[in-house]
Amino acid sequence: SKLSHQDITTTNDQVLLLETNLDDTTGQQLAAVIKQSLEVGAKDAWAEPIVMKKGRPAYKLSLLVSPQKKELFVKFIFENTPAIGLRLQLMQREIMERRIEIAKTAYGEVRVKKLSYHGITKFSLENDDLRHCVQGTKENLEKIKYAVLQEIENNKNEGE
Amino acid sequence: SKLSHQDITTTNDQVLLLETNLDDTTGQQLAAVIKQSLEVGAKDAWAEPIVMKKGRPAYKLSLLVSPQKKELFVKFIFENTPAIGLRLQLMQREIMERRIEIAKTAYGEVRVKKLSYHGITKFSLENDDLRHCVQGTKENLEKIKYAVLQEIENNKNEGE
Amino acid sequence: SKLSHQDITTTNDQVLLLETNLDDTTGQQLAAVIKQSLEVGAKDAWAEPIVMKKGRPAYKLSLLVSPQKKELFVKFIFENTPAIGLRLQLMQREIMERRIEIAKTAYGEVRVKKLSYHGITKFSLENDDLRHCVQGTKENLEKIKYAVLQEIENNKNEGE
Amino acid sequence: SKLSHQDITTTNDQVLLLETNLDDTTGQQLAAVIKQSLEVGAKDAWAEPIVMKKGRPAYKLSLLVSPQKKELFVKFIFENTPAIGLRLQLMQREIMERRIEIAKTAYGEVRVKKLSYHGITKFSLENDDLRHCVQGTKENLEKIKYAVLQEIENNKNEGE
Amino acid sequence: SKLSHQDITTTNDQVLLLETNLDDTTGQQLAAVIKQSLEVGAKDAWAEPIVMKKGRPAYKLSLLVSPQKKELFVKFIFENTPAIGLRLQLMQREIMERRIEIAKTAYGEVRVKKLSYHGITKFSLENDDLRHCVQGTKENLEKIKYAVLQEIENNKNEGE
Amino acid sequence: SKLSHQDITTTNDQVLLLETNLDDTTGQQLAAVIKQSLEVGAKDAWAEPIVMKKGRPAYKLSLLVSPQKKELFVKFIFENTPAIGLRLQLMQREIMERRIEIAKTAYGEVRVKKLSYHGITKFSLENDDLRHCVQGTKENLEKIKYAVLQEIENNKNEGE
Ligand code: NI
Ligand code: NI
Ligand code: NI
Ligand code: NI
Ligand code: NI
Ligand code: NI
Ligand code: NI
Ligand code: NI
Ligand code: NI
Ligand code: NI
Ligand code: NI
Ligand code: NI
């Protein structure tokens, strides 16, 4: 329901985007900074190719972080890249509610991420688990997927 | 004038940007989603190559929509892509005032988009019409363009 | 300290981002617009490859300007590109405090940009000056860099 | 077997790559040229973002054509783009052998592309047909896929 | 004719492409290398965004040079970038024949590049000259273009 | 000398480039394929953003492999991606000769990659070792680099 949903996502309603254009760092360093930013708590991190002033083939680094961690990540960028300035943007975020369930099939157990948002629902089967089942039973992937989906179907009567 | 201009563009003053980073969709699906989003009313839609976490060559999908249609397009993205989260940003928009006129030349009619913004003006000749004139008269494109521009010049006395 | 820092950066706290997607301009024109925008006072300007509607390989042009110059740069884009609309976004900006010092070494003088932000500090040696020293003395670049850094170290006692 | 395979793919063994860097065309024109090149017989066509000399954000256009059509496509590029030069490269091509089969299931018929290359095999189910079955029977997509794969399995005894 | 054409383009028939993937250089350096390579005689130079191994957002540098200058440019890349290896490819090149003519109009002189290739012809008007005419006469650009094209038309009787 | 150099690089003189345009794979899969290709012996692997036919935002996958492993890697691509065709190109490769030396400094040992090509030489200091020295001695990175370079200088008398 909408109310319970809002309770759950309240703390995620806002994210802070940090951006900086880098024409004085290397690809090696960029990859390291993206990795490290996630280790210290960024929600997401990525790089976009851009053409900067003076015709420089460069990258824009973007971090998505909790607004409470603004100070932490501004410092993170200044300490781990040559940037001397960056831009910040508070953005709203919508996320689907997630519930993990276990589908027990004849081929093994597969985690299913059940996603919902205001009446829309979708599933996402855990890839690792599917591969496990394939390896353990030498069965066809599609067959296993189908068994998982049948299991989900059977459980539907028990409500969301 | 500024006042009449603001009347015209009031409803366009704000647009909502929806963004999501996708490392689990294909190029085929992305192209389909961009096309479909425009069919259901997005003002614009595009994809940007990005390098996501874990070194994934991915794309960021961006939709520009009317703020009133927020709910519609959040659902659209969740239903039509594997995204389980997205970012939203209310942005201001400035657009040039558009007026379509018909320039009647010896070679045929050509629609002219007259664009203006606070004293700046520019024209944009309808490509399809120009090609029509070229095909119909076997005349040089530049010659036809020039005739159109003369027609615009002549009409100027009749005011904006 | 935070206070003195805020005094210095107050006027820079906000920047305005102007964006427009261009599928009807050429690379030549884009490079010219980026260059020209900086000449008339943009803080930064760049282009990002995007895939626009109807599968068009295009570029998004971004300008970062002082919020006071909004009108100037909206007109700049409308006058210098085929854009008939653009998006605006007020963004917060954090910048490191900069102080230029001269390091006098046996190989020549080198400007050093001292950067600081809430307790973090870093240096940036002026490349042109380093090259000058290399050319004047035929000495190794690393040796000269080291001399500069020793000079910085010596001056530290004199406080920030 | 290798021999019979080579008989089949002999005419496809070589393809000609045509490339040209374009900083004086628009995204609209590029999309049109890609589309048109396929209509006049190119095997493939695409554009890659590049940063050209003088810092120009541009695109490289690539066409893949039959070597016999070299003259046709060199002219095609010169006539349909502002290019005044282009590069050509004869490349070898390996393609998987394709055989289309029809899987008749309880939900409808689905075309299956059977692909093989020197002992490797894979399948590709025709998306349009799967959607047809989903629409006609309101059944789950995975269930239909599974039925198709069972059908393929059953037919295997009849050999390649 | 084909023969006379081949005489003219013989020396251009082949070009050498040098490529290297760079994840340890900066955008500043890339822009400098592209510029410098042209100054020492490269026919063309550009950079393409790529995603390298270990998820590194990087660039591929490409130089197009005369095959006779292979040694020069292999050394150029090794000396001016961190590359420790590069790839080379001899490519065929087709270029349109160029002839510069001067169109004398009432608004000033405009250089016209006449391009031809096996029966195809196109023109390219010198931008700088057009702008000169606009500035000198305050006339409309399209009007001047049209005058130039009329001049070209008149001269056609005098043969290619 | 040229002769001894050629002896050393003979086996590296040629590399095989495999390329395929993918509009039906995901970023997750692309990253996995790049990683796996290197594990099974590719010399290099990368992805380039491209705009494919029908306006699809896609990626071109490139592998660089030993020509002897052509069959292995053609199969690798067909088995690990949805590709049903790929292009191959034999390319020449030039690589700098590498010799690893150990520079013993007061701060610790640092491996130095000495690179040479037909009279050109450059160095590359092992980053991991430098960081080790910084951590072990709390000394300035530039100071350690300088010590390494002095050590290299001292050893020069002993010939290449
Ligand atoms: Ni809810
Ligand atoms: Ni909600
Ligand atoms: Ni107005
Ligand atoms: Ni207004
Ligand atoms: Ni972007
Ligand atoms: Ni501060
Ligand atoms: Ni075969
Ligand atoms: Ni074969
Ligand atoms: Ni000819
Ligand atoms: Ni010819
Ligand atoms: Ni050699
Ligand atoms: Ni490329």
Side-chain angles (χ1 to χ4, degrees):
Chain A
S1 74
K2 198 162 186 179
L3 276 178
S4 68
H5 163 80
Q6 288 184 330
D7 289 350
I8 291 166
T9 59
T10 292
T11 58
N12 292 306
D13 267 350
Q14 291 212 319
V15 284
L16 185 67
L17 176 70
L18 286 79
E19 283 185 351
T20 189
N21 299 358
L22 292 166
D23 63 8
D24 48 2
T25 193
T26 68
Q28 282 185 343
Q29 290 168 329
L30 264 172
V33 165
I34 287 172
K35 188 158 178 269
Q36 199 182 340
S37 70
L38 295 164
E39 287 165 4
V40 299
K43 290 171 188 297
D44 205 354
W46 68 95
E48 304 185 10
I50 64 174
V51 185
M52 280 179 66
K53 61 172 181 272
K54 300 182 190 172
R56 291 172 180 162
Y59 279 93
K60 177 170 74 176
L61 174 67
S62 296
L63 299 191
L64 213 60
V65 307
S66 161
Q68 290 82 355
K69 295 189 180 160
K70 175 188 150 182
E71 188 79 6
L72 173 71
F73 279 104
V74 171
K75 284 185 174 176
F76 174 84
I77 287 178
F78 286 153
E79 280 183 311
N80 292 286
T81 76
I84 57 178
L86 54 79
R87 306 179 293 278
L88 300 111
Q89 186 64 52
L90 210 56
M91 301 185 91
Q92 195 193 339
R93 194 162 74 149
E94 290 291 326
I95 55 174
M96 298 190 85
E97 290 175 72
R98 285 161 242 201
R99 196 190 315 168
I100 306 289
E101 294 187 9
I102 310 283
K104 298 179 186 178
T105 75
Y107 314 107
E109 301 193 347
V110 175
R111 274 166 297 171
V112 177
K113 214 186 270 172
K114 289 192 159 185
L115 301 154
S116 63
Y117 178 86
H118 297 188
I120 299 169
T121 57
K122 60 184 178 190
F123 308 108
S124 165
L125 309 194
E126 185 62 54
N127 236 330
D128 282 351
D129 296 352
L130 288 170
R131 270 193 300 216
H132 244 244
C133 294
V134 168
Q135 282 159 10
T137 64
K138 305 293 170 204
E139 264 302 345
N140 183 288
L141 176 65
E142 295 302 324
K143 192 169 187 173
I144 296 168
K145 272 189 189 172
Y146 174 48
V148 173
L149 293 168
Q150 272 185 315
E151 198 59 26
I152 293 170
E153 193 74 18
N154 294 342
N155 291 343
K156 249 195 190 156
N157 307 333
E158 300 160 44
E160 195 191 333
Chain B
S1 74
K2 198 162 188 178
L3 277 178
S4 68
H5 163 80
Q6 286 184 332
D7 289 349
I8 291 165
T9 59
T10 293
T11 57
N12 291 307
D13 266 354
Q14 291 213 317
V15 283
L16 186 67
L17 176 70
L18 287 79
E19 284 185 351
T20 190
N21 298 358
L22 293 165
D23 61 10
D24 47 3
T25 192
T26 68
Q28 281 184 342
Q29 291 169 328
L30 263 172
V33 166
I34 287 172
K35 186 157 178 271
Q36 199 182 340
S37 70
L38 295 164
E39 287 166 3
V40 299
K43 291 172 187 296
D44 205 355
W46 68 96
E48 304 184 11
I50 63 174
V51 185
M52 279 179 68
K53 60 172 181 273
K54 300 181 190 174
R56 291 171 180 162
Y59 278 92
K60 177 171 75 178
L61 174 67
S62 297
L63 300 191
L64 213 60
V65 308
S66 161
Q68 289 82 354
K69 295 187 181 162
K70 176 189 148 179
E71 189 77 5
L72 174 71
F73 279 104
V74 171
K75 284 184 174 176
F76 173 84
I77 287 178
F78 286 152
E79 280 183 312
N80 292 287
T81 76
I84 58 178
L86 54 79
R87 305 180 294 279
L88 300 111
Q89 187 64 50
L90 210 56
M91 300 184 91
Q92 195 192 340
R93 195 162 73 149
E94 291 291 327
I95 54 173
M96 297 191 85
E97 290 175 71
R98 285 160 243 202
R99 195 189 315 168
I100 306 289
E101 294 186 9
I102 310 283
K104 297 179 185 177
T105 76
Y107 314 106
E109 301 193 348
V110 176
R111 273 166 300 171
V112 177
K113 212 186 274 171
K114 289 193 160 185
L115 301 154
S116 62
Y117 178 85
H118 295 189
I120 299 169
T121 57
K122 60 184 179 191
F123 309 108
S124 164
L125 310 194
E126 186 61 56
N127 236 330
D128 282 350
D129 296 350
L130 287 171
R131 271 193 301 216
H132 244 243
C133 294
V134 168
Q135 282 158 9
T137 65
K138 304 293 171 205
E139 263 303 341
N140 183 289
L141 176 64
E142 296 301 324
K143 192 168 185 173
I144 296 168
K145 272 188 189 173
Y146 175 48
V148 173
L149 294 169
Q150 272 186 315
E151 198 58 28
I152 293 170
E153 193 75 17
N154 294 342
N155 290 344
K156 249 195 191 153
N157 306 335
E158 300 159 43
E160 197 191 333
Chain C
S1 74
K2 199 163 186 177
L3 278 179
S4 67
H5 163 79
Q6 288 184 331
D7 289 349
I8 290 165
T9 59
T10 292
T11 56
N12 291 306
D13 267 351
Q14 292 213 318
V15 283
L16 186 67
L17 176 70
L18 286 80
E19 284 186 350
T20 190
N21 298 357
L22 293 166
D23 62 8
D24 47 2
T25 192
T26 68
Q28 281 185 343
Q29 291 168 328
L30 263 173
V33 166
I34 287 172
K35 187 157 178 271
Q36 200 183 339
S37 70
L38 295 164
E39 286 165 4
V40 299
K43 291 171 187 297
D44 206 355
W46 68 96
E48 304 185 10
I50 64 175
V51 184
M52 279 179 67
K53 61 172 180 272
K54 301 183 190 173
R56 291 171 181 163
Y59 278 93
K60 177 171 74 176
L61 174 67
S62 296
L63 298 192
L64 214 60
V65 308
S66 161
Q68 290 83 354
K69 295 188 181 161
K70 177 190 149 179
E71 188 78 7
L72 174 71
F73 279 104
V74 171
K75 285 185 174 176
F76 174 84
I77 287 178
F78 286 152
E79 280 183 313
N80 291 287
T81 76
I84 57 178
L86 53 80
R87 306 179 295 278
L88 300 112
Q89 187 64 51
L90 210 55
M91 300 184 91
Q92 194 192 342
R93 194 162 74 149
E94 291 290 327
I95 54 172
M96 297 189 86
E97 290 176 71
R98 285 160 243 201
R99 197 190 314 168
I100 307 288
E101 293 186 10
I102 311 284
K104 296 179 185 178
T105 74
Y107 314 107
E109 301 193 347
V110 176
R111 273 168 297 170
V112 177
K113 212 187 273 172
K114 289 191 159 184
L115 301 154
S116 62
Y117 178 84
H118 296 187
I120 299 169
T121 57
K122 62 184 178 190
F123 309 109
S124 164
L125 310 195
E126 184 61 55
N127 237 330
D128 283 350
D129 297 351
L130 288 171
R131 271 194 300 217
H132 243 244
C133 294
V134 168
Q135 283 158 9
T137 65
K138 304 295 171 204
E139 264 302 342
N140 183 290
L141 176 64
E142 295 301 324
K143 192 169 186 172
I144 296 168
K145 271 189 190 172
Y146 175 47
V148 173
L149 293 168
Q150 271 185 317
E151 198 59 29
I152 293 170
E153 192 75 18
N154 294 343
N155 290 344
K156 248 193 191 158
N157 307 334
E158 300 160 44
E160 197 192 330
Chain D
S1 75
K2 200 162 186 178
L3 276 177
S4 67
H5 164 80
Q6 286 184 333
D7 289 349
I8 291 165
T9 59
T10 292
T11 57
N12 292 306
D13 266 352
Q14 291 212 318
V15 283
L16 186 66
L17 176 71
L18 286 79
E19 285 185 350
T20 189
N21 298 357
L22 292 166
D23 61 9
D24 47 3
T25 192
T26 68
Q28 282 185 343
Q29 291 168 328
L30 264 172
V33 167
I34 287 173
K35 186 158 179 271
Q36 200 182 340
S37 69
L38 295 164
E39 287 166 4
V40 300
K43 291 171 188 296
D44 205 354
W46 68 96
E48 304 186 10
I50 63 173
V51 185
M52 280 178 67
K53 62 173 180 271
K54 301 182 191 174
R56 292 173 180 160
Y59 278 93
K60 177 172 73 178
L61 174 68
S62 296
L63 299 191
L64 213 60
V65 308
S66 160
Q68 290 82 352
K69 295 188 181 163
K70 176 189 149 179
E71 188 78 5
L72 174 70
F73 280 104
V74 171
K75 284 185 175 177
F76 174 84
I77 287 179
F78 286 152
E79 280 183 312
N80 292 286
T81 75
I84 57 178
L86 54 79
R87 307 180 292 280
L88 301 111
Q89 187 65 51
L90 210 55
M91 301 184 90
Q92 194 192 342
R93 194 162 74 149
E94 289 292 325
I95 55 173
M96 297 189 85
E97 289 175 71
R98 285 160 243 200
R99 195 189 316 167
I100 307 288
E101 294 186 8
I102 311 283
K104 297 179 184 177
T105 75
Y107 314 106
E109 300 194 346
V110 176
R111 274 166 296 170
V112 177
K113 212 186 273 171
K114 289 193 160 184
L115 300 154
S116 62
Y117 178 85
H118 296 188
I120 299 169
T121 56
K122 61 185 178 190
F123 309 109
S124 164
L125 311 194
E126 185 61 57
N127 237 331
D128 283 350
D129 296 350
L130 287 171
R131 272 194 300 218
H132 243 245
C133 294
V134 168
Q135 282 158 10
T137 64
K138 305 295 171 203
E139 263 303 343
N140 183 288
L141 175 65
E142 295 301 324
K143 193 169 185 173
I144 297 168
K145 272 189 189 173
Y146 175 48
V148 173
L149 294 169
Q150 272 185 317
E151 198 59 28
I152 294 170
E153 193 74 17
N154 294 342
N155 291 343
K156 248 193 191 157
N157 307 333
E158 300 159 43
E160 197 191 330
Chain E
S1 75
K2 199 162 186 179
L3 276 178
S4 68
H5 163 81
Q6 285 184 332
D7 288 349
I8 291 165
T9 60
T10 292
T11 58
N12 292 305
D13 266 352
Q14 291 212 318
V15 283
L16 185 67
L17 176 69
L18 287 78
E19 284 186 349
T20 189
N21 297 359
L22 292 166
D23 62 8
D24 47 2
T25 192
T26 69
Q28 282 185 343
Q29 291 168 329
L30 264 172
V33 166
I34 288 172
K35 185 158 180 269
Q36 199 182 340
S37 70
L38 296 163
E39 286 166 3
V40 299
K43 289 172 188 295
D44 205 355
W46 68 95
E48 303 185 10
I50 63 174
V51 184
M52 280 177 67
K53 60 172 180 272
K54 300 182 191 173
R56 290 171 181 163
Y59 278 92
K60 177 171 74 177
L61 174 68
S62 296
L63 300 192
L64 214 59
V65 308
S66 161
Q68 290 82 355
K69 295 188 182 164
K70 176 190 149 179
E71 188 79 5
L72 173 71
F73 279 104
V74 171
K75 285 184 174 177
F76 174 83
I77 287 179
F78 286 153
E79 281 182 311
N80 292 287
T81 76
I84 58 179
L86 54 79
R87 306 180 293 277
L88 300 111
Q89 187 64 50
L90 210 55
M91 301 185 91
Q92 194 192 341
R93 195 161 73 149
E94 289 292 326
I95 53 173
M96 297 190 85
E97 290 175 70
R98 285 160 243 201
R99 196 191 314 167
I100 307 288
E101 292 187 9
I102 311 282
K104 297 179 186 178
T105 75
Y107 314 105
E109 300 193 347
V110 176
R111 274 167 298 172
V112 177
K113 213 186 272 173
K114 289 193 159 184
L115 301 154
S116 62
Y117 178 86
H118 295 189
I120 300 169
T121 58
K122 60 185 177 189
F123 308 109
S124 164
L125 310 194
E126 185 62 54
N127 238 328
D128 283 350
D129 296 351
L130 287 170
R131 271 193 302 217
H132 243 244
C133 294
V134 168
Q135 282 158 10
T137 64
K138 305 294 170 203
E139 264 302 344
N140 184 289
L141 175 65
E142 295 301 325
K143 191 168 186 174
I144 296 168
K145 273 189 188 171
Y146 176 47
V148 173
L149 293 168
Q150 273 185 316
E151 198 59 27
I152 294 170
E153 194 74 17
N154 294 343
N155 290 343
K156 247 191 192 158
N157 307 334
E158 300 160 45
E160 196 191 333
Chain F
S1 75
K2 199 163 185 178
L3 277 177
S4 66
H5 163 80
Q6 287 184 332
D7 289 348
I8 290 165
T9 60
T10 291
T11 58
N12 291 305
D13 266 351
Q14 291 212 319
V15 283
L16 186 67
L17 176 70
L18 286 79
E19 284 186 349
T20 189
N21 298 358
L22 292 165
D23 62 9
D24 48 2
T25 192
T26 68
Q28 282 185 342
Q29 291 168 328
L30 263 173
V33 167
I34 287 172
K35 186 156 178 271
Q36 200 182 340
S37 70
L38 295 164
E39 287 165 3
V40 299
K43 291 171 187 296
D44 206 354
W46 68 97
E48 304 185 11
I50 63 174
V51 185
M52 279 178 67
K53 61 172 180 272
K54 300 182 190 173
R56 290 171 181 165
Y59 279 92
K60 178 171 72 177
L61 174 67
S62 296
L63 299 191
L64 213 61
V65 308
S66 160
Q68 290 82 353
K69 296 188 180 163
K70 177 189 148 180
E71 188 80 6
L72 173 72
F73 279 104
V74 171
K75 285 184 173 177
F76 174 84
I77 287 178
F78 286 153
E79 280 184 312
N80 292 286
T81 76
I84 57 178
L86 53 80
R87 306 179 293 278
L88 300 111
Q89 187 63 51
L90 210 54
M91 301 184 91
Q92 194 192 343
R93 194 161 73 149
E94 290 291 326
I95 55 174
M96 297 190 85
E97 291 175 71
R98 285 159 242 202
R99 195 190 316 167
I100 307 289
E101 294 186 9
I102 311 284
K104 297 179 186 177
T105 74
Y107 315 107
E109 300 193 347
V110 175
R111 274 167 296 172
V112 177
K113 213 185 272 171
K114 288 192 160 184
L115 301 154
S116 62
Y117 177 85
H118 296 188
I120 299 169
T121 57
K122 61 184 178 190
F123 309 109
S124 165
L125 310 193
E126 184 63 54
N127 237 329
D128 283 350
D129 297 351
L130 288 171
R131 270 192 301 217
H132 243 244
C133 293
V134 167
Q135 282 158 10
T137 63
K138 305 295 171 202
E139 263 303 345
N140 184 288
L141 175 65
E142 295 302 325
K143 192 169 185 174
I144 297 169
K145 272 188 189 172
Y146 176 47
V148 172
L149 294 168
Q150 271 185 317
E151 198 59 27
I152 294 169
E153 192 75 17
N154 294 341
N155 291 343
K156 249 193 191 158
N157 307 333
E158 300 159 44
E160 197 194 330

